[in-house]
Amino acid sequence: MIAMNESHSIQLNDPGEKPRETFIPFRRADVIEMCLADGQLNEAEQDRFRIFCRIIRAYYHYHFHTLLERLKDDFAAFDLDSDCRRYIEPPPEAAEAKIDAFFKDMKQILTKANFHPLNQEQLVRSFRDRSLIDLNIDVDFDMFDRYLCFYRGTSQATARKRMYRVYYQNVTFTALDRVVLLLRFKDRAYFERRGLKLSELHFTPGRTYLFYFKNVPKADLEIIFPNVRISMTLKDKILFLVPAVSVGMSSLLKISANLIMVTGFIIFLVGLRESAERLGVTREVIQHSLIPMIAALASVTLVLGGFAVGQYLSYKNKWVEFLNDVTQALFFRCVGINTGVFQCLIDTAEEEECKEAILAYYHLLTHGRKLTKEELDRTIEQWFETKFGVSINFDVEDALKKLRKIKGEVVFRNQDRDEIGKE
């Protein structure tokens, strides 16, 4: 099982001020225009800056397109949704290697897209809380061969929540803006050893699933897992049992006379005549009251049977209502599943890489003097804060690495072209 404990992961349940995000909440095209509108570049410099931005876009587009093709190739080995035939069926060891490569590449993309990992301890801690869905929801992590869970961004949201099944109330909760869940279940043999019926599972053993959600309540993170076990909370059990006991006692009082008669009749039939006589049921009573006895028996059967059926239907209705809550919560928050997630994440990662490199280049270009790494970091963060009212945690170290890498590759390719020209 893969469990992430990177130092930059954010503790979901830590109180206090909302942490600054490394995610830059503007489109790449908008970031370019924001830099040009800053008034620090003349017309000729603006043209050169646009050319630089086009080079950056082309560079990262090629890089991430290559990564996208590798992801598609690795995932094809265990993609059960594909409508294409397989030309070559990989051997088990090759398929396992592709799974390892796929998880490694997905972790790399999510990191580049400024997502943060959630480990099992953080997830379990969030499961203890409730926000919109009042259910006991249990996730069995032992069913997973491996998994990754990443999120990006937090915000405060408000939604209507039904309280005690009677009235609605506006509830404010913390939501995770984007959540990605990648997991692989253990094989069939594991579930068969546990005595679980495969036909009753809501997933396929041995299969890999990739989900992408938006605006997930922090305290309801468990609903995104496909192997959840749902049960009523203590509050719902009380709300269910109290009316049941009340109705049951009322019904028993109404049929108490008939119930005594039927009980005595049954005791008499099994041979316990003395006990039956204490209840007023004798041979003479039975001979003269056979039809009333049958009517009493039918009355008791109908009342108790009707009560049992009513309670069962009430329970099923509540259960359907619970499942509908979960379905509604997931349906309107799902961004993509399996291969549909690739393009979203690749595009996001490409945009983030470009924005960081462009911002670092622009502020180094326009500041007028050499900046230390710390000064550049502070300059960019203050620029966003003062001009756009946005607080971010700019990853200056990563941005400078990008610029050094791009410069090195451009120099290498120019030298390569010179050598070709000489030949």
Side-chain angles (χ1 to χ4, degrees), residues 312-325:
Y312 175 76
L313 292 178
S314 176
Y315 173 78
K316 293 297 290 185
N317 288 337
K318 287 183 180 294
W319 190 251
V320 171
E321 187 177 336
F322 290 151
L323 293 179
N324 182 64
D325 288 342

Side-chain angles (χ1 to χ4, degrees), residues 344-357:
C344 292
L345 293 180
I346 286 289
D347 183 67
T348 300
E350 180 181 328
E351 287 247 337
E352 289 300 296
E353 295 285 276
C354 287
K355 288 185 287 186
E356 290 173 2

Side-chain angles (χ1 to χ4, degrees), residues 20-226:
R20 293 182 301 159
E21 293 290 337
T22 53
F23 170 63
I24 301 169
F26 295 97
R27 295 172 58 244
R28 176 179 55 195
D30 290 337
V31 169
I32 295 173
E33 294 304 318
M34 289 157 64
C35 293
L36 292 172
D38 198 31
Q40 301 295 316
L41 301 174
N42 60 38
E43 187 173 341
E45 290 171 334
Q46 287 186 16
D47 290 339
R48 289 196 294 270
F49 181 73
R50 289 185 185 277
I51 292 173
F52 170 79
C53 293
R54 284 200 293 271
I55 293 172
I56 290 289
R57 288 201 302 264
Y59 173 84
Y60 281 110
H61 183 72
Y62 172 78
H63 172 75
F64 281 102
H65 178 74
T66 303
L67 186 55
L68 174 61
E69 291 301 312
R70 190 164 72 230
L71 281 172
K72 290 163 61 177
D73 182 57
D74 289 340
F75 192 75
F78 42 90
D79 183 11
L80 300 183
D81 297 328
S82 175
D83 55 357
C84 295
R85 299 180 182 181
R86 295 183 183 177
Y87 174 59
I88 299 176
E89 193 71 31
E93 58 274 12
E96 190 64 29
K98 285 184 175 294
I99 293 172
D100 293 337
F102 180 76
F103 270 76
K104 181 179 178 181
D105 286 339
M106 282 300 302
K107 185 176 179 181
Q108 177 187 355
I109 290 172
L110 288 165
T111 301
K112 290 183 178 296
N114 285 324
F115 280 74
H116 303 293
L118 295 173
N119 57 38
Q120 184 171 329
E121 179 184 353
Q122 292 170 307
L123 290 170
V124 171
R125 189 162 59 247
S126 74
F127 294 170
R128 299 192 188 108
D129 299 326
R130 294 284 177 269
S131 59
L132 296 182
I133 300 177
D134 286 327
L135 292 171
N136 283 329
I137 303 179
D138 179 55
V139 177
D140 188 351
F141 287 94
D142 193 50
M143 291 183 177
F144 305 140
D145 177 64
R146 62 186 78 185
Y147 75 94
L148 294 173
C149 187
F150 277 68
Y151 83 101
R152 188 184 70 193
T154 60
S155 58
Q156 294 297 308
T158 302
R160 294 186 69 202
K161 177 181 178 180
R162 186 157 61 173
M163 308 298 292
Y164 301 100
R165 311 285 169 183
V166 177
Y167 64 95
Y168 286 91
Q169 178 178 320
N170 287 334
V171 177
T172 301
F173 60 93
T174 300
L176 305 184
D177 297 337
R178 293 291 185 270
V179 179
V180 174
L181 176 64
L182 171 62
L183 55 86
R184 180 173 179 80
F185 283 99
K186 293 181 178 178
D187 57 17
R188 291 172 59 100
Y190 167 81
F191 293 94
E192 290 173 349
R193 285 196 302 270
R194 290 186 54 174
L196 300 175
K197 295 182 180 179
L198 301 182
S199 60
E200 296 180 358
L201 299 177
H202 299 293
F203 53 87
T204 303
R207 185 175 178 181
T208 300
Y209 293 85
L210 177 60
F211 303 99
Y212 190 16
F213 297 98
K214 64 179 181 179
N215 301 329
V216 180
K218 180 192 70 174
D220 295 329
L221 261 176
E222 57 268 44
I223 66 174
I224 70 175
F225 287 81

Side-chain angles (χ1 to χ4, degrees), residues 10 23 26 144 159 194 217 242 262 264 303 327 393 396:
I10 299 174
F23 170 63
F26 295 97
F144 305 140
R194 290 186 54 174
V242 169
V262 169
V303 171
T327 302
N393 181 19
V396 66

